[in-house]
Amino acid sequence: MKHIHLWAMALITGSTLSSCDQTWSDRNVPEAVKVKFVESYPTIKRVDWDRVDSLYEAEFKISGRERKALFGEDGTLLSYTEEIEEQYLPKRIAAQLQQEFKSYKIDEVHRVQEGSLTSFVIELEKGTRDIWLRFNEKGELLDRSTNAATPIRKQSASLLPSSSSGTTTEDLGAPELRWDLPPVLREVSGIGMLHDGSMACVQDEVGTIFIYNLEQKAISQEIPFAGPGDYEGIAVAGENAYIVRSDGTLFEVVGFRNTKPTVQVYEASFPATINIEGLAYDQEHNQLLLAPKGYDPKLKAQKGIYAFSLDSKKFLPEPVTSISLDQVQTPKKGKKQKSGYDVLQPSSLELHPTSGEFYMLDAVNDRLYVLNREGQISKTVDLDKKMLRQAEGLTFGQDGALYIASEGSKKGKGVIHRYNNSL
């Protein structure tokens, strides 16, 4: 029995999608597992089931507290996990936490039982950083990780992020520069760096490109291209600018810096659930890449990146990249998930100017991801929500610096931050 995996499996809270249906009923659970569950917990009438690889997880409550039981296919009870209050930690563990981690806040405590082995898993928080610790009953530290955003993978099934997963957690650090945007850009939704060092911006409601001069900290030009609409992203390719509406419709503004640019509109036929927010120019393949905040039901436990060919001026029929949601760790406590797709809700997409990697913002879940063209996540950042209230825009400077734009509150201002660390 691989205890180091089983205790962690029992703590998985939906970040691993089942290989069949995302929402399970007991009809999907082997009879031997159901019989063992009833024998072990005869008073429980309400239970949620999920599958983790070939194992079956039951989530339920006793006295208002969450419990999890993990079973093998033959009905063997492998582990039992219960959330407990901090005061019930063994004294040696409590003392060690007070001595070594007194600057951290205890977020959750779980007691895990695997056969005769009892362990305690504590999640600590400090700003945007998390630490997971696992102790035995004697107070000895068994596992520790600070990789707060490393994905949980089905094959390792570990809540403690695995250093061997190939994914790392990075830190943008403090921004080098900040710009407070004018009121008309309070709902800034997309940005693109121009060759003269100005920033092309769009916002949610107005069909206008705003050219923002970073040196003068002021709008230098306004370029109307359409009427009111839900505009989400902008990409610049040579003398032309492209803006995407949330339904996937593209607006091509030919010679957008000219006195009278011309506008072409390309209608998309995405599902109503798609909600496109990210748009990037892929110079190597002469195409635009579109990232959906929503989803296409046909892709099941994946999200796609779609393409629009600038040669044929047509949308490609299939995604050019698929991102498996198994890679994405469930957002922190407090984020309500309506479906399994909500763990990843891209709000902006850009290609790194030298590595060619995808940089993807997720404003809902306060994250930044770095992915390769095969859709594999290599790096993750938990964004500081106090600094980036709703990160909607992303672009790179000619020197490789990273720029992130965030919407403001009703009384606050939209902002642009510049980071020298582009991961």
Side-chain angles (χ1 to χ4, degrees):
M1 181 181 294
K2 298 182 180 180
H3 293 291
I4 194 167
H5 293 325
L6 295 179
W7 69 266
M9 284 183 176
L11 288 175
I12 293 175
T13 58
S15 57
T16 303
L17 299 176
S18 65
S19 60
C20 297
D21 299 321
Q22 182 195 337
T23 302
W24 275 58
S25 69
D26 60 3
R27 290 177 298 177
N28 304 99
V29 180
E31 189 65 26
V33 175
K34 290 190 286 186
V35 169
K36 182 62 177 179
F37 180 84
V38 173
E39 290 178 356
S40 303
Y41 312 103
T43 63
I44 302 302
K45 304 300 181 184
R46 187 171 181 176
V47 57
D48 293 325
W49 289 97
D50 197 6
R51 191 171 82 183
V52 184
D53 288 344
S54 60
L55 306 181
Y56 295 83
E57 178 195 73
E59 182 176 348
F60 53 98
K61 288 185 178 181
I62 298 178
S63 300
R65 289 194 171 274
E66 290 186 359
R67 317 294 168 111
K68 294 180 187 292
L70 194 68
F71 299 87
E73 289 182 300
D74 61 355
T76 302
L77 178 60
L78 302 175
S79 68
Y80 173 72
T81 302
E82 57 182 333
E83 186 177 2
I84 65 173
E85 295 182 5
E86 177 186 348
Q87 61 182 326
Y88 297 118
L89 280 171
K91 292 182 179 179
R92 288 186 179 182
I93 298 177
Q96 189 168 343
L97 292 175
Q98 179 60 31
Q99 180 178 355
E100 297 185 28
F101 303 95
K102 59 182 179 180
S103 63
Y104 286 79
K105 175 186 175 182
I106 295 180
D107 184 37
E108 290 186 359
V109 177
H110 292 86
R111 179 166 49 216
V112 183
Q113 190 71 39
E114 299 174 51
S116 60
L117 176 65
T118 300
S119 60
F120 296 85
V121 179
I122 301 101
E123 181 183 352
L124 304 176
E125 286 187 346
K126 183 179 180 182
T128 60
R129 283 298 186 189
D130 291 353
I131 294 180
W132 280 269
L133 305 171
R134 183 168 72 103
F135 296 88
N136 62 19
E137 288 183 288
K138 298 179 181 179
E140 298 170 336
L141 183 61
L142 303 177
D143 293 288
R144 168 177 174 165
S145 177
T146 57
N147 291 341
T150 304
I152 298 173
R153 295 178 180 273
K154 286 197 295 185
Q155 60 266 33
S156 64
S158 175
L159 182 69
L160 286 178
S162 171
S163 59
S164 62
S165 68
T167 303
T168 62
T169 301
E170 302 285 345
D171 187 358
L172 283 176
E176 178 193 28
L177 295 170
R178 169 186 170 129
W179 291 266
D180 291 326
L181 299 175
V184 72
L185 288 174
R186 180 178 64 83
E187 294 190 40
V188 59
S189 57
I191 58 175
M193 181 63 75
L194 304 179
H195 291 299
D196 64 1
S198 297
M199 191 73 73
C201 309
V202 291
Q203 57 113 300
D204 281 345
E205 300 176 351
V206 180
T208 299
I209 301 172
F210 298 88
I211 307 300
Y212 183 78
N213 188 306
L214 297 175
E215 291 187 3
Q216 298 177 4
K217 299 182 179 180
I219 293 173
S220 60
Q221 188 179 1
E222 297 185 16
I223 307 162
F225 63 86
D230 187 12
Y231 304 107
E232 297 292 352
I234 183 169
V236 178
E239 301 300 318
N240 303 333
Y242 297 86
I243 299 92
V244 66
R245 201 167 60 193
S246 58
D247 61 358
T249 298
L250 283 170
F251 295 80
E252 179 184 40
V253 188
V254 180
F256 74 103
R257 299 298 295 271
N258 297 337
T259 305
K260 293 183 179 181
T262 59
V263 179
Q264 296 288 334
V265 181
Y266 303 96
E267 300 287 345
S269 58
F270 292 113
T273 54
I274 205 72
N275 192 6
I276 299 290
E277 290 207 359
L279 182 68
Y281 173 47
D282 180 1
Q283 184 175 7
E284 180 182 354
H285 299 92
N286 197 34
Q287 62 186 5
L288 300 174
L289 300 174
L290 301 90
K293 178 181 178 181
Y295 61 94
D296 183 342
K298 294 187 301 183
L299 296 183
K300 296 184 179 180
Q302 299 183 77
K303 283 204 174 182
I305 294 178
Y306 303 86
F308 176 85
S309 171
L310 293 177
D311 294 322
S312 66
K313 299 298 176 69
K314 293 182 179 180
F315 291 91
L316 302 189
E318 299 295 332
V320 294
T321 299
S322 294
I323 305 168
S324 172
L325 298 180
D326 290 342
Q327 304 176 78
V328 186
Q329 185 185 20
T330 299
K332 290 184 177 181
K333 189 176 180 180
K335 296 290 185 182
K336 294 182 180 179
Q337 302 292 304
K338 295 181 181 179
S339 77
Y341 294 105
D342 289 350
V343 297
L344 181 63
Q345 300 184 59
S347 56
S348 188
L349 178 69
E350 189 58 271
L351 273 68
H352 191 278
T354 56
S355 70
E357 294 174 301
F358 295 153
Y359 275 59
M360 181 180 289
L361 281 177
D362 182 338
V364 174
N365 296 308
D366 303 312
R367 285 177 175 166
L368 169 63
Y369 296 98
V370 180
L371 310 87
N372 63 20
R373 287 185 174 269
E374 287 70 46
Q376 297 169 331
I377 297 173
S378 61
K379 299 173 185 176
T380 306
V381 171
D382 284 328
L383 301 176
D384 185 346
K385 193 171 183 63
K386 294 180 181 179
M387 190 172 295
L388 295 167
R389 177 181 175 274
Q390 189 170 328
E392 294 279 350
L394 170 71
T395 192
F396 290 97
Q398 297 179 26
D399 58 356
L402 174 64
Y403 293 79
I404 297 179
S406 174
E407 289 189 11
S409 61
K410 290 184 178 180
K411 296 184 179 180
K413 297 180 179 180
V415 297
I416 296 176
H417 288 169
R418 171 188 162 115
Y419 299 87
N420 276 337
N421 177 16
S422 61
L423 306 183

